[in-house]
Every structure is written in structure tokens, then in C-alpha cells.
Amino acid sequence: MRKLAIIGASGYGKVVADIARRNGYKEIVFLDDDDSIHECGGYPVIGKSTESGMIDADVIIGIGNAGVRKQIQESIPDEKLVTLIHPDAVVAEDVVVGKGSVVMAGAVINPGVRIGKGCIINTCSSVDHDCEVGDYVHIAVGSHLCGTVSVGDGTWIGAGATVSNNVSICSACMIGAGAVVVKNIVEAGSYVGLPAKKIK
């Protein structure tokens, strides 16, 4: 019997649980450090995040915050971590998706793409050919990376944002919802608008 422990009993965790079920997991449990939470999406919360190493199960992080996701994931042995891809995502055969990453329903990832570990490729987003996506990146709902885009570690591409072809974005950036990135971003920070500009 396949068993999965999801760390983080939240809305995002519910989506991860649904993808896990569709990938054949028969037993799904949650771990969360909030003692007041006893279930999530109909699945039981059975302990705290620190207990993942003691459970005989695969493990994935269901937490949206990249910093927290990284901290927890890097404390878990690689052999316990899994990658989840929704059956209704379109992922080219040569795409590489790192451990602990989740690809959600309706996402499209085209040939030549490399996705790092602990990433979220959210609902109906797209990552076009030959993109390089770093670790712990979140490509939010309905956002799009055009071809040959590079995104640094820990960056958040907001809902509905677009990144033009051949653009690089450094690590630790937040691209606002609906923003359009048309040139390289070399300084960490928050960027909004059309074209995207840094805000203080």
C-alpha cells in the first residue's frame, strides 16, 4: 500500500493530497505543527512536521512559503521525498522535475525544461521550451514563462504574470500578479506592472 505524508495542513496541502490520490496513493496523512488542526481535506493530521523521518511513508511539503518549504525539505532525506505531477498536466518527455516539486492540473511544461527541487508549478501555468527554473520557485496560477527563461532560486512568479522569451530573473524575487517581465532582472526584490518595475 502506498502511503504519503504531507507536511502542512492547508489549502495548498489539500491540492497536493488530491494530486497524490490521483497518482495512486491509497493512504494519505498530514503533519502540521498547529495542534488545533486535526484534519485537512478529509485526511487526518497525525503529528508534527518533525516526525516525518519516523513515519514509514513517502513525504512531500504542502507549504506555499518558499523559505519554510526549503527549511523543512532540506531536513528530510532525499530518498523519502517524492515529486507529484497531476495526470491532467502536460509534461514533455525530456523534462526534469526535482524532488519535492508539484505540478498541478492544467499546467504545461514543454521540451528542454529543467525544474528544480521543491517547486510549485501551479494550476494552468505554463513553462515553455528550454526554461531553467531554480529550486523552491513558485510559478503561480495562470502565469507563463516563454521560451528560454531562467528563474533563480526562491522566486515567486505571481498569478497571471508573463515572462518574455530569453529573460533571466535572479533569485529571491517576487513578480506581482499580472506583471509582464520584458528584460533581465538582476537585483532581488518585488516587481510589478507592465513592463515590470521594481518597487520599494
Coordinates of all heavy atoms in Angstrom, one line a residue, residues 40-83:
C40 N -7.4 17.6 7.3 CA -7.3 18.5 6.2 C -7.8 17.8 4.9 O -7.3 16.8 4.6 CB -5.8 18.9 6.0 SG -5.5 20.1 4.7
G41 N -8.8 18.4 4.3 CA -9.4 17.7 3.1 C -9.9 16.3 3.4 O -10.0 15.5 2.4
G42 N -10.3 16.1 4.6 CA -10.8 14.7 4.9 C -9.8 13.7 5.3 O -10.1 12.6 5.6
Y43 N -8.5 14.2 5.4 CA -7.4 13.3 5.7 C -6.9 13.7 7.1 O -6.9 14.9 7.5 CB -6.2 13.4 4.7 CG -6.6 13.0 3.3 CD1 -6.9 14.0 2.4 CD2 -6.8 11.7 3.0 CE1 -7.2 13.7 1.1 CE2 -7.1 11.3 1.7 CZ -7.4 12.3 0.7 OH -7.8 12.0 -0.5
P44 N -6.5 12.7 7.9 CA -6.1 13.0 9.3 C -4.7 13.7 9.5 O -3.8 13.5 8.7 CB -6.0 11.6 10.0 CG -5.6 10.7 8.8 CD -6.3 11.3 7.6
V45 N -4.6 14.6 10.5 CA -3.3 15.1 10.9 C -2.9 14.3 12.0 O -3.5 14.2 13.1 CB -3.5 16.6 11.3 CG1 -2.2 17.2 11.8 CG2 -4.0 17.5 10.2
I46 N -1.7 13.6 11.8 CA -1.3 12.6 12.8 C -0.1 13.0 13.6 O 0.4 12.2 14.5 CB -1.0 11.2 12.1 CG1 0.1 11.4 11.1 CG2 -2.3 10.8 11.4 CD1 0.7 10.0 10.7
G47 N 0.5 14.2 13.4 CA 1.7 14.6 14.1 C 2.3 15.8 13.6 O 1.6 16.6 12.8
K48 N 3.5 16.1 14.1 CA 4.2 17.4 13.7 C 5.2 17.2 12.6 O 5.5 16.0 12.3 CB 4.9 17.9 14.9 CG 3.9 18.3 16.1 CD 4.7 19.0 17.2 CE 3.7 19.4 18.3 NZ 2.7 20.4 17.8
S49 N 5.6 18.3 12.0 CA 6.5 18.2 10.8 C 7.8 17.5 11.1 O 8.4 16.8 10.3 CB 6.8 19.6 10.3 OG 7.4 20.4 11.3
T50 N 8.2 17.6 12.4 CA 9.5 17.0 12.8 C 9.4 15.4 12.8 O 10.4 14.8 13.0 CB 9.9 17.5 14.2 OG1 8.8 17.3 15.1 CG2 10.3 19.0 14.1
E51 N 8.2 14.9 12.8 CA 8.0 13.4 12.9 C 8.1 12.7 11.5 O 7.9 11.5 11.4 CB 6.7 13.1 13.5 CG 6.6 13.7 15.0 CD 5.3 13.5 15.6 OE1 4.5 12.6 15.2 OE2 4.9 14.4 16.4
S52 N 8.4 13.5 10.4 CA 8.3 12.9 9.1 C 9.3 11.7 8.9 O 9.1 10.8 8.2 CB 8.6 13.9 8.0 OG 9.9 14.5 8.2
G53 N 10.5 11.9 9.6 CA 11.5 10.8 9.5 C 11.1 9.5 10.2 O 11.7 8.5 9.9
M54 N 10.1 9.6 11.1 CA 9.8 8.4 11.8 C 8.6 7.6 11.2 O 8.2 6.6 11.7 CB 9.4 8.8 13.3 CG 10.6 9.4 14.0 SD 10.1 9.9 15.7 CE 9.4 11.6 15.3
I55 N 8.0 8.2 10.1 CA 6.8 7.6 9.5 C 7.3 6.8 8.3 O 8.1 7.2 7.5 CB 5.9 8.7 9.1 CG1 5.3 9.4 10.3 CG2 4.7 8.1 8.3 CD1 4.4 10.6 10.0
D56 N 6.7 5.6 8.2 CA 7.0 4.7 7.0 C 6.2 5.2 5.9 O 5.1 4.6 5.6 CB 6.8 3.3 7.4 CG 7.2 2.3 6.3 OD1 7.9 2.8 5.4 OD2 6.7 1.2 6.3
A57 N 6.6 6.2 5.2 CA 5.8 6.8 4.1 C 6.7 7.7 3.3 O 7.7 8.2 3.7 CB 4.6 7.6 4.7
D58 N 6.2 7.9 2.0 CA 6.8 9.0 1.2 C 6.4 10.3 1.8 O 5.4 10.4 2.6 CB 6.3 8.9 -0.2 CG 6.7 7.7 -0.9 OD1 7.8 7.1 -0.6 OD2 6.0 7.3 -1.9
V59 N 7.2 11.4 1.5 CA 6.9 12.7 2.1 C 7.0 13.8 1.0 O 7.8 13.7 0.1 CB 8.0 13.0 3.2 CG1 7.8 14.4 3.8 CG2 8.0 12.0 4.3
I60 N 6.1 14.8 1.2 CA 6.2 16.0 0.4 C 5.7 17.1 1.2 O 5.0 17.0 2.2 CB 5.3 15.8 -0.9 CG1 5.7 16.9 -1.9 CG2 3.8 15.8 -0.6 CD1 5.3 16.5 -3.4
I61 N 6.2 18.3 0.9 CA 5.9 19.5 1.6 C 4.7 20.2 1.0 O 4.8 20.6 -0.2 CB 7.1 20.5 1.7 CG1 8.4 19.7 2.0 CG2 6.8 21.6 2.7 CD1 8.4 19.0 3.2
G62 N 3.7 20.5 1.7 CA 2.5 21.2 1.2 C 2.4 22.6 1.8 O 1.3 23.0 2.3
I63 N 3.5 23.3 1.7 CA 3.5 24.7 2.3 C 3.9 25.7 1.2 O 4.9 25.4 0.5 CB 4.5 24.7 3.5 CG1 4.1 23.8 4.6 CG2 4.8 26.2 4.0 CD1 5.1 23.7 5.7
G64 N 3.2 26.7 1.0 CA 3.4 27.7 0.0 C 4.7 28.6 0.2 O 5.3 28.9 -0.8
N65 N 5.0 28.9 1.4 CA 6.1 29.8 1.7 C 7.4 29.1 1.3 O 7.8 28.1 1.9 CB 6.1 30.2 3.1 CG 7.2 31.1 3.5 OD1 8.3 30.8 3.5 ND2 6.8 32.4 3.8
A66 N 8.1 29.7 0.4 CA 9.4 29.1 -0.2 C 10.4 28.9 0.9 O 11.1 27.9 0.9 CB 9.9 29.9 -1.3
G67 N 10.6 29.9 1.8 CA 11.6 29.8 2.8 C 11.3 28.6 3.8 O 12.2 27.9 4.1
V68 N 10.1 28.5 4.2 CA 9.7 27.4 5.1 C 9.8 26.1 4.4 O 10.2 25.1 4.9 CB 8.2 27.7 5.6 CG1 7.8 26.5 6.5 CG2 8.2 29.0 6.4
R69 N 9.3 26.1 3.1 CA 9.4 24.8 2.4 C 10.8 24.3 2.2 O 11.1 23.2 2.4 CB 8.8 25.1 1.0 CG 8.4 23.8 0.2 CD 7.4 24.1 -0.9 NE 8.0 24.9 -2.0 CZ 7.6 26.1 -2.2 NH1 6.7 26.8 -1.5 NH2 8.2 26.8 -3.3
K70 N 11.7 25.3 1.9 CA 13.1 24.9 1.8 C 13.7 24.4 3.1 O 14.4 23.3 3.2 CB 13.9 26.1 1.4 CG 15.4 25.8 1.3 CD 16.2 27.1 0.8 CE 17.7 26.8 0.7 NZ 18.5 28.0 0.3
Q71 N 13.4 25.1 4.2 CA 13.9 24.7 5.5 C 13.5 23.3 5.9 O 14.3 22.5 6.4 CB 13.5 25.7 6.6 CG 14.0 25.4 8.0 CD 13.5 26.4 9.0 OE1 12.6 27.2 8.7 NE2 14.0 26.3 10.2
I72 N 12.2 23.0 5.7 CA 11.7 21.7 6.0 C 12.2 20.6 5.1 O 12.7 19.5 5.5 CB 10.2 21.7 6.1 CG1 9.7 22.6 7.2 CG2 9.7 20.2 6.3 CD1 8.2 22.8 7.3
Q73 N 12.2 20.9 3.8 CA 12.6 19.9 2.8 C 14.0 19.5 3.0 O 14.4 18.3 2.8 CB 12.3 20.3 1.4 CG 12.7 19.3 0.3 CD 12.1 19.5 -1.0 OE1 11.0 20.0 -1.2 NE2 12.9 19.3 -2.1
E74 N 14.9 20.4 3.3 CA 16.3 20.1 3.4 C 16.6 19.4 4.7 O 17.8 18.9 4.8 CB 17.1 21.4 3.2 CG 16.9 21.9 1.8 CD 17.9 23.0 1.4 OE1 18.6 23.5 2.2 OE2 17.9 23.4 0.2
S75 N 15.7 19.2 5.5 CA 15.9 18.4 6.7 C 15.4 16.9 6.5 O 15.6 16.1 7.4 CB 15.1 19.0 7.9 OG 13.7 18.8 7.8
I76 N 14.9 16.6 5.4 CA 14.3 15.3 5.1 C 15.2 14.6 4.1 O 15.6 15.1 3.1 CB 12.9 15.4 4.5 CG1 12.0 16.1 5.5 CG2 12.3 14.1 4.1 CD1 10.6 16.5 5.0
P77 N 15.5 13.3 4.4 CA 16.4 12.6 3.4 C 15.8 12.5 2.0 O 14.5 12.3 1.9 CB 16.4 11.2 4.0 CG 16.1 11.4 5.5 CD 15.2 12.5 5.5
D78 N 16.6 12.6 1.0 CA 16.1 12.6 -0.4 C 15.3 11.4 -0.7 O 14.4 11.5 -1.5 CB 17.3 12.7 -1.4 CG 17.6 14.2 -1.7 OD1 17.0 15.1 -1.2 OD2 18.6 14.4 -2.5
E79 N 15.7 10.3 -0.2 CA 15.0 9.0 -0.5 C 13.6 9.0 -0.1 O 12.8 8.2 -0.6 CB 15.8 7.8 0.0 CG 15.9 7.7 1.5 CD 17.2 8.4 2.0 OE1 17.8 9.2 1.3 OE2 17.6 8.1 3.1
K80 N 13.2 9.8 0.9 CA 11.8 9.9 1.3 C 11.0 10.8 0.5 O 9.7 10.7 0.5 CB 11.7 10.3 2.8 CG 12.4 9.3 3.8 CD 11.8 9.4 5.2 CE 10.4 8.8 5.2 NZ 10.0 8.6 6.6
L81 N 11.6 11.8 -0.1 CA 10.9 12.8 -0.9 C 10.4 12.3 -2.2 O 11.0 11.6 -2.9 CB 11.8 14.1 -1.1 CG 12.2 14.8 0.2 CD1 13.3 15.8 -0.1 CD2 11.0 15.6 0.7
V82 N 9.2 12.8 -2.6 CA 8.6 12.4 -3.9 C 8.3 13.7 -4.7 O 8.3 14.8 -4.2 CB 7.4 11.6 -3.8 CG1 7.7 10.2 -3.1 CG2 6.3 12.3 -2.9
T83 N 8.0 13.5 -6.0 CA 7.6 14.6 -6.9 C 6.2 14.2 -7.3 O 5.9 13.0 -7.6 CB 8.5 14.7 -8.1 OG1 9.8 15.0 -7.6 CG2 8.0 15.7 -9.1

